[in-house]
Amino acid sequence: MTSSPDGAYEELLRLSRDTTLLGSCGQLLQWDAEICMPHDGVKHRSDQMALLAGLVHDRATDHRFEDLLAAAESSPLADEVDSVEAVSIREIRRSFDRETKLPRQLVEELARVSALSAQAWSDARDRNDFRSFAPWLDKTFELAREKADAFGFVETRYDALLEDYEPGMTTSQLSTLFAHLREGLVPLVDSLRDSSASTSEAQAARDFPLDRQREFSEGIARSIGFTADGGRFDLGPHPFCATIGPGDVRIALRYHRDNFASGFLAVMHEMGHALYEQGLDASHYGTPMGETASLGIHESQSRLWENLVGRTRGFWRHYYPPLQKVFPESLSDVSLDSFRRDMNRVAPGLIRVEADEVTYNLHIVIRFELERALLSGDLRAADLPSAWTELYARYLGITPDTDRTGCLQDIHWSEGLIGYFPTYTLGNVYAAQLFAAADRDIGPLEDAFAAGEFTGLREWLRENIHRHGKRFPAAALIEKATGSAPDPSALIASLTDRYRPAS
Amino acid sequence: MTSSPDGAYEELLRLSRDTTLLGSCGQLLQWDAEICMPHDGVKHRSDQMALLAGLVHDRATDHRFEDLLAAAESSPLADEVDSVEAVSIREIRRSFDRETKLPRQLVEELARVSALSAQAWSDARDRNDFRSFAPWLDKTFELAREKADAFGFVETRYDALLEDYEPGMTTSQLSTLFAHLREGLVPLVDSLRDSSASTSEAQAARDFPLDRQREFSEGIARSIGFTADGGRFDLGPHPFCATIGPGDVRIALRYHRDNFASGFLAVMHEMGHALYEQGLDASHYGTPMGETASLGIHESQSRLWENLVGRTRGFWRHYYPPLQKVFPESLSDVSLDSFRRDMNRVAPGLIRVEADEVTYNLHIVIRFELERALLSGDLRAADLPSAWTELYARYLGITPDTDRTGCLQDIHWSEGLIGYFPTYTLGNVYAAQLFAAADRDIGPLEDAFAAGEFTGLREWLRENIHRHGKRFPAAALIEKATGSAPDPSALIASLTDRYRPAS
């Protein structure tokens, strides 16, 4: 092994790249499991995932990291704060310390169970049969507890899991943030009940043939900057964005014939994720400087394009006339204002991914409460449906009539993603701050949108967020880009400003 | 490590299974590269393939095999010839000895170059630009020479490569077999020139909408026995069958609006491959008893269903009436005899995958000659187009007017598959023998086909071929199933019998 600090650093990067590269094979296995894999392939797939997870773990905990990290950390390379080298060393240390706490067997088991459990969830949802899924959910939370215990934590197990998705965030910080949000949003939601904003139904029962939706919405994503040669669109059981590697970022979507907005907003959302991935510096691939900062930051990109671009008057001043041409039967008699009012209708609903901007975060509050209860053991899987129903009644005033539209709607828990949901709300919080900052820097953005001009915003995000990779922790990145620490006030202000009923 | 022979044997199987499982991740990467991967993903994909190939090589050459094999080979388990245990030990020994001859770097390089080269081929074919592909072809044959030299050989490098696809077969045996075939087929081809068999054009310029072709042809594959929950159909740049693992066998197809037979016969062909894969004993997955015997045997399954079922009068007595209902505009005025005459038309053509049964093997002779010349260095890639043209003129009496319909038509060489083409003709030879034997055992098969009954043949193949895995070498398997060693006489007899012009 080399003894020079530069040599140690280079070797460190090489190990990191190889680990990422191997992990990226697992990302394809996962994407394929959701989009292509035939039903009976799941047993084999779960074996593949477990094997690969074990091998990735072996590499991520390779004993060579220990000496290489020690050599790099004691070299001058580590001293220049926020330099590529210092960031790489810091983040590789973080991953290594974290990964070495997990027993290999647990890593394999998590991968195997998540593949089988995701299929069990999908079958259960299709049949609206929560009972067949409940044992998998118990198993998943049992493994999550083992994982949290292996990582260790100061206050609560949930903190240990959060760290995977939003490094540095704690349960207590989140609780404060959610309380602040509730305080600001509940009056707004109340003021919108029974207002015209919640009753417009211009698009109701109108027909939007799927192929034309795809062509229109995916065409917009391409024209805003999603590189077609470097990615693809698919129809999937739920919308998501998966990165296989540089030059290969994939978007899965779901369209509904009777609801244009749902499919369209999903395209904008996943495009936001994809632009972030495509905006990373490919020359840093496989090392921290080529990785996204956190899931909260990731979600800020999707939310920003979905809500703060795709729902705006400026955007539709440009795109509504062509949209009317695509769907003349359904839209020729609908005015721009009426179309937008419908798209921005606020109404408590059962389905998170179809929720409006204002009530969306209440869906997250519900999941945040439930997953902490499931993790602590206060709630057992068998009792989830009734707990779910109770919280939807309390926060949103509605109750699901089937588990399919209730506690079986999200894939996340089945895949072992526990502690993940709060990043959606963090994304909303960050997005509002980022949009306000960009608007100050290069705005007024809505005028640009009205002129069909999105390059400015895209490049502002690339410059202020994408290109930094993991250079800064999420909170520091937001502060650097916007001048303020993360704070829900911008989100509350933005929603209040845009949704408060005209008095 | 265990010291009991049984323990050694079990450990040997475990290592074998793990190696296969890891390799199966590469099979998904490969399938995805052909069916899904966006254009710009190829660089990353080639890195993934190289890494995985290296890891599979590490496992396949794991030093533990040495001791485990020695222990198993000296145990009584190895003594009972053709037992599961003896076969497993024999074949794991064969793979291990072979794999250890390859340097790891060469294995990675072969994987990396084949991914990049396949994309270069695809781009070159699209643009009809052979020159951009020529350097990749030179590189591929250079690596094939290195590989052959690493394996070692007695007579010729080509023997060393053949061993990957048809273990036990030699260049000189193949040359004899091809000579025998030419002797029998050339008079037949000549007798068919200008006969009515080559001039019928009942389907010419008729229209077969693609979605209806897919539904009809894929429906037949399912009803014959391709398990839909255990596989899928896709449209691809060329027809192929890929196995990801038990429960996951995928068929890629290509349809042409103006040519029903081409797409349909491809479905039957790939279904034959898939039935073999689905007919293996899944409990032996990852060990030799759960693997196919050879590519020649594999091809015998596809050829048998394509040619000896899918072209027959019995088959179409059952399926032609429903086919006419699917394409009334194009077929209501075409009689069964006329339809079949057209489907079985013999006419030298430029495209191998669309060739009739009689001239098909001449396409293989051409590739067999060219790849030996490219391997020996007698022919350089730059000179391939002219050599190709010359041989097509000599053997088939026609010349391609573009490289796209000439030497750019096949993906094989770009993927490093050299020594692979002859297995297509071996498949035809074996298929004729197998069909004759099945017809003796459970025939007359055409009467069964006419009654829509294919289970008998499928199960006969399962019993006599599929379930044996690698128990017998190809030649022994054929002899066991048919009573005769491999011999082209049955193929010549079958073709002569079915195609000889009525005198």
Side-chain angles (χ1 to χ4, degrees):
Chain A
M1 188 73 44
T2 179
S3 58
S4 82
D6 281 13
Y9 174 72
E10 288 307 323
E11 181 67 9
L12 207 52
L13 291 195
R14 206 186 58 72
L15 286 185
S16 170
R17 274 191 216 102
D18 265 15
T19 309
T20 306
L21 184 58
L22 189 59
S24 78
C25 299
Q27 276 139 30
L28 182 69
L29 292 173
Q30 173 90 39
W31 175 86
D32 181 84
E34 298 207 45
I35 302 295
C36 300
M37 186 186 76
H39 187 274
D40 295 352
V42 68
K43 168 67 175 59
H44 182 68
R45 181 58 46 89
S46 73
D47 289 343
Q48 290 177 312
M49 305 276 271
L51 175 70
L52 217 50
L55 290 178
V56 169
H57 178 73
D58 287 347
R59 298 205 152 213
T61 57
D62 190 314
H63 63 89
R64 285 176 294 174
F65 272 115
E66 196 66 83
D67 291 345
L68 292 169
L69 275 168
E73 280 164 345
S74 63
S75 83
L77 289 172
D79 294 341
E80 204 180 318
V81 177
D82 297 340
S83 68
V84 169
E85 293 79 6
V87 168
S88 301
I89 295 166
R90 177 191 80 207
E91 292 294 325
I92 292 174
R93 161 63 72 191
R94 181 181 171 279
S95 301
F96 177 73
D97 284 353
R98 197 161 163 80
E99 192 75 23
T100 46
K101 288 179 181 157
L102 293 179
R104 187 184 204 279
Q105 210 187 335
L106 177 59
V107 170
E108 287 187 350
E109 186 71 357
L110 282 162
R112 188 191 318 279
V113 168
S114 86
L116 294 170
S117 167
Q119 174 117 353
W121 165 79
S122 170
D123 289 347
R125 193 186 60 160
D126 289 350
R127 297 192 312 264
N128 189 36
D129 172 23
F130 179 78
R131 283 180 59 185
S132 69
F133 176 58
W136 287 103
L137 198 58
D138 276 327
K139 177 76 187 161
T140 297
F141 274 89
E142 184 188 315
L143 289 174
R145 278 190 287 274
E146 278 185 52
K147 188 171 151 188
D149 291 344
F151 283 141
F153 51 87
V154 179
E155 284 194 17
T156 164
R157 273 186 179 133
Y158 194 78
D159 283 343
L161 301 181
L162 264 181
E163 189 71 11
D164 266 350
Y165 310 115
E166 196 68 8
M169 180 61 66
T170 65
T171 311
S172 92
Q173 284 174 306
L174 267 183
S175 301
T176 308
L177 183 143
F178 276 122
H180 185 157
L181 260 183
R182 265 201 308 266
E183 208 173 292
L185 293 182
V186 167
L188 179 60
V189 173
D190 285 345
S191 74
L192 291 170
R193 265 188 229 283
D194 309 317
S195 82
S196 69
S198 68
T199 52
S200 159
E201 299 217 345
Q203 295 175 65
R206 307 214 174 208
D207 186 39
F208 301 90
L210 300 185
D211 52 346
R212 284 190 258 159
Q213 283 194 58
R214 291 197 68 171
E215 197 180 332
F216 180 82
S217 299
E218 295 168 13
I220 288 179
R222 274 193 293 269
S223 76
I224 289 179
F226 177 74
T227 313
D229 272 353
R232 56 180 279 137
F233 295 102
D234 290 277
L235 298 180
H238 64 112
F240 67 95
C241 173
T243 297
I244 312 303
D248 195 349
V249 177
R250 304 179 181 196
I251 290 177
L253 295 162
R254 191 169 51 174
Y255 295 92
H256 305 275
R257 243 190 119 113
D258 59 354
N259 187 339
F260 168 78
S262 166
F264 168 77
L265 291 169
V267 172
M268 292 296 283
H269 180 102
E270 303 308 336
M271 180 202 73
H273 285 305
L275 290 179
Y276 189 7
E277 296 282 343
Q278 293 186 332
L280 294 168
D281 185 340
S283 71
H284 287 306
Y285 177 76
T287 74
M289 283 297 294
E291 285 161 11
T292 58
S294 76
L295 283 192
I297 298 293
H298 224 310
E299 194 70 9
S300 75
Q301 303 303 295
S302 55
R303 292 288 157 182
L304 189 149
W305 287 100
E306 174 189 359
N307 292 329
L308 304 173
V309 181
R311 291 183 191 266
T312 61
R313 182 170 171 79
F315 181 91
W316 288 110
R317 273 179 55 203
H318 181 71
Y319 277 118
Y320 193 59
L323 182 69
Q324 281 181 306
K325 288 212 183 73
V326 173
F327 300 108
E329 316 85 336
S330 294
L331 294 178
S332 57
D333 62 341
V334 178
S335 71
L336 170 58
D337 281 343
S338 168
F339 171 79
R340 273 204 62 239
R341 217 172 19 250
D342 195 58
M343 171 169 268
N344 289 291
R345 187 158 52 104
V346 175
L350 293 170
I351 306 297
R352 176 183 58 85
V353 297
E354 287 167 12
D356 61 80
E357 269 188 282
V358 184
T359 57
Y360 184 91
N361 297 299
L362 297 175
H363 292 262
I364 301 304
V365 169
I366 292 171
R367 283 150 184 79
F368 178 56
E369 295 194 10
L370 290 171
E371 66 184 5
R372 282 185 299 153
L374 285 161
L375 188 69
S376 70
D378 289 348
L379 179 64
R380 287 172 44 91
D383 301 321
L384 178 64
S386 58
W388 186 281
T389 301
E390 195 187 315
L391 287 181
Y392 265 78
R394 186 186 315 162
Y395 289 125
L396 288 155
I398 49 175
T399 53
D401 49 4
T402 68
D403 290 332
R404 194 204 302 259
T405 56
C407 63
L408 280 174
Q409 70 181 267
D410 298 310
I411 194 176
H412 303 62
W413 291 337
S414 79
E415 289 185 324
L417 301 174
I418 295 153
Y420 184 115
F421 278 116
T423 65
Y424 288 143
T425 286
L426 290 173
N428 287 327
V429 167
Y430 300 158
Q433 292 182 268
L434 289 170
F435 191 86
D439 204 42
R440 280 196 304 273
D441 284 3
I442 56 166
L445 287 169
E446 276 215 36
D447 292 352
F449 302 163
E453 178 47 69
F454 303 95
T455 317
L457 177 58
R458 190 189 71 212
E459 292 307 310
W460 189 92
L461 291 168
R462 194 154 285 182
E463 177 66 18
N464 286 280
I465 301 290
H466 306 178
R467 74 180 176 91
H468 289 302
K470 277 198 187 323
R471 189 189 293 268
F472 309 110
L477 182 61
I478 290 298
E479 183 152 6
K480 207 157 173 74
T482 70
S484 316
D487 178 346
S489 308
L491 176 59
I492 295 167
S494 166
L495 291 172
T496 306
D497 183 43
R498 291 181 292 129
Y499 286 95
R500 187 179 36 204
S503 53
Chain B
M1 187 73 45
T2 177
S3 57
S4 82
D6 281 12
Y9 175 73
E10 288 307 323
E11 181 65 9
L12 206 52
L13 289 196
R14 206 187 58 73
L15 286 184
S16 171
R17 274 190 216 105
D18 265 15
T19 309
T20 305
L21 184 59
L22 189 59
S24 78
C25 300
Q27 274 139 32
L28 182 69
L29 292 173
Q30 172 91 39
W31 175 86
D32 181 84
E34 298 208 45
I35 301 295
C36 299
M37 186 186 76
H39 186 273
D40 294 352
V42 67
K43 167 67 176 58
H44 182 68
R45 181 59 45 89
S46 73
D47 290 343
Q48 290 177 312
M49 304 276 272
L51 176 70
L52 217 49
L55 290 177
V56 170
H57 178 72
D58 287 347
R59 298 206 151 212
T61 57
D62 190 313
H63 63 89
R64 283 175 295 173
F65 273 116
E66 197 67 81
D67 290 346
L68 292 169
L69 275 168
E73 281 164 344
S74 62
S75 82
L77 289 172
D79 294 341
E80 204 180 318
V81 178
D82 297 340
S83 70
V84 169
E85 294 79 6
V87 168
S88 301
I89 294 167
R90 177 191 80 207
E91 291 295 324
I92 292 174
R93 161 62 73 191
R94 181 182 171 278
S95 301
F96 176 72
D97 285 353
R98 198 161 162 80
E99 193 76 22
T100 46
K101 289 180 182 159
L102 293 180
R104 187 184 205 279
Q105 210 187 336
L106 178 60
V107 170
E108 287 188 350
E109 186 71 356
L110 282 162
R112 189 192 317 278
V113 168
S114 86
L116 294 170
S117 168
Q119 175 115 352
W121 165 79
S122 170
D123 290 346
R125 193 186 61 159
D126 289 350
R127 297 192 311 264
N128 191 37
D129 171 23
F130 178 77
R131 283 181 56 185
S132 69
F133 176 58
W136 288 102
L137 198 58
D138 275 328
K139 178 76 188 161
T140 298
F141 274 90
E142 186 188 313
L143 289 174
R145 278 189 288 274
E146 279 186 51
K147 188 171 151 188
D149 290 345
F151 283 142
F153 50 89
V154 179
E155 284 195 17
T156 165
R157 272 186 179 134
Y158 194 77
D159 283 343
L161 300 181
L162 265 182
E163 189 71 11
D164 265 350
Y165 310 114
E166 196 69 8
M169 180 61 65
T170 65
T171 311
S172 92
Q173 284 175 304
L174 267 183
S175 301
T176 308
L177 183 143
F178 276 122
H180 185 158
L181 261 184
R182 265 202 307 267
E183 207 172 294
L185 293 183
V186 167
L188 179 61
V189 172
D190 284 345
S191 74
L192 292 169
R193 268 189 226 281
D194 310 315
S195 80
S196 69
S198 67
T199 52
S200 159
E201 299 216 345
Q203 294 176 64
R206 306 212 174 210
D207 186 38
F208 301 91
L210 300 185
D211 52 346
R212 285 191 259 158
Q213 282 194 58
R214 292 197 67 171
E215 198 181 330
F216 179 83
S217 299
E218 296 168 12
I220 288 179
R222 275 193 291 270
S223 75
I224 291 179
F226 177 74
T227 315
D229 271 353
R232 56 180 278 136
F233 295 101
D234 289 278
L235 297 180
H238 63 112
F240 67 94
C241 173
T243 297
I244 312 303
D248 194 349
V249 177
R250 304 178 180 196
I251 290 177
L253 295 161
R254 191 169 51 174
Y255 295 91
H256 305 276
R257 242 191 121 113
D258 60 354
N259 187 339
F260 168 78
S262 167
F264 168 77
L265 291 169
V267 171
M268 293 295 285
H269 180 103
E270 303 308 336
M271 179 202 75
H273 284 305
L275 290 180
Y276 189 7
E277 295 282 343
Q278 293 185 332
L280 294 168
D281 185 340
S283 71
H284 287 306
Y285 177 75
T287 73
M289 282 298 294
E291 284 161 11
T292 58
S294 77
L295 283 192
I297 297 294
H298 224 310
E299 194 69 9
S300 75
Q301 303 304 295
S302 55
R303 292 289 157 182
L304 189 150
W305 287 100
E306 175 189 358
N307 292 328
L308 305 173
V309 181
R311 292 183 189 265
T312 60
R313 183 171 170 79
F315 182 90
W316 288 110
R317 273 179 57 201
H318 181 70
Y319 277 118
Y320 193 59
L323 181 68
Q324 281 182 307
K325 289 213 182 74
V326 173
F327 299 108
E329 315 86 336
S330 295
L331 294 179
S332 59
D333 62 341
V334 178
S335 71
L336 170 58
D337 281 343
S338 168
F339 171 80
R340 274 204 61 240
R341 215 169 24 247
D342 195 57
M343 172 168 268
N344 288 290
R345 188 158 52 103
V346 174
L350 292 171
I351 306 298
R352 176 183 59 84
V353 297
E354 288 169 11
D356 60 80
E357 267 188 284
V358 183
T359 58
Y360 185 91
N361 297 298
L362 297 175
H363 292 262
I364 300 304
V365 168
I366 292 171
R367 285 151 183 79
F368 178 55
E369 294 193 11
L370 289 171
E371 68 184 5
R372 281 185 299 154
L374 285 161
L375 188 69
S376 71
D378 289 350
L379 179 65
R380 286 173 45 90
D383 301 321
L384 178 64
S386 59
W388 187 281
T389 302
E390 196 188 313
L391 286 181
Y392 265 78
R394 187 187 314 161
Y395 289 125
L396 288 155
I398 49 175
T399 55
D401 49 4
T402 69
D403 289 334
R404 193 204 301 259
T405 55
C407 63
L408 279 173
Q409 71 181 267
D410 298 311
I411 195 176
H412 304 60
W413 291 338
S414 79
E415 289 185 324
L417 301 174
I418 294 153
Y420 183 116
F421 279 116
T423 64
Y424 289 142
T425 287
L426 289 173
N428 287 327
V429 167
Y430 300 159
Q433 292 181 268
L434 289 170
F435 191 87
D439 205 41
R440 279 196 305 273
D441 284 3
I442 57 166
L445 288 169
E446 277 214 35
D447 291 353
F449 303 162
E453 178 47 69
F454 303 94
T455 316
L457 177 59
R458 190 190 70 213
E459 293 306 311
W460 188 93
L461 291 168
R462 194 154 286 183
E463 177 67 18
N464 287 279
I465 302 290
H466 306 176
R467 74 180 175 93
H468 289 302
K470 275 199 188 324
R471 190 189 291 269
F472 308 110
L477 182 61
I478 291 298
E479 184 153 3
K480 207 157 172 75
T482 71
S484 315
D487 177 346
S489 309
L491 175 59
I492 295 167
S494 166
L495 291 172
T496 305
D497 184 44
R498 290 181 293 130
Y499 286 95
R500 187 179 36 205
S503 52

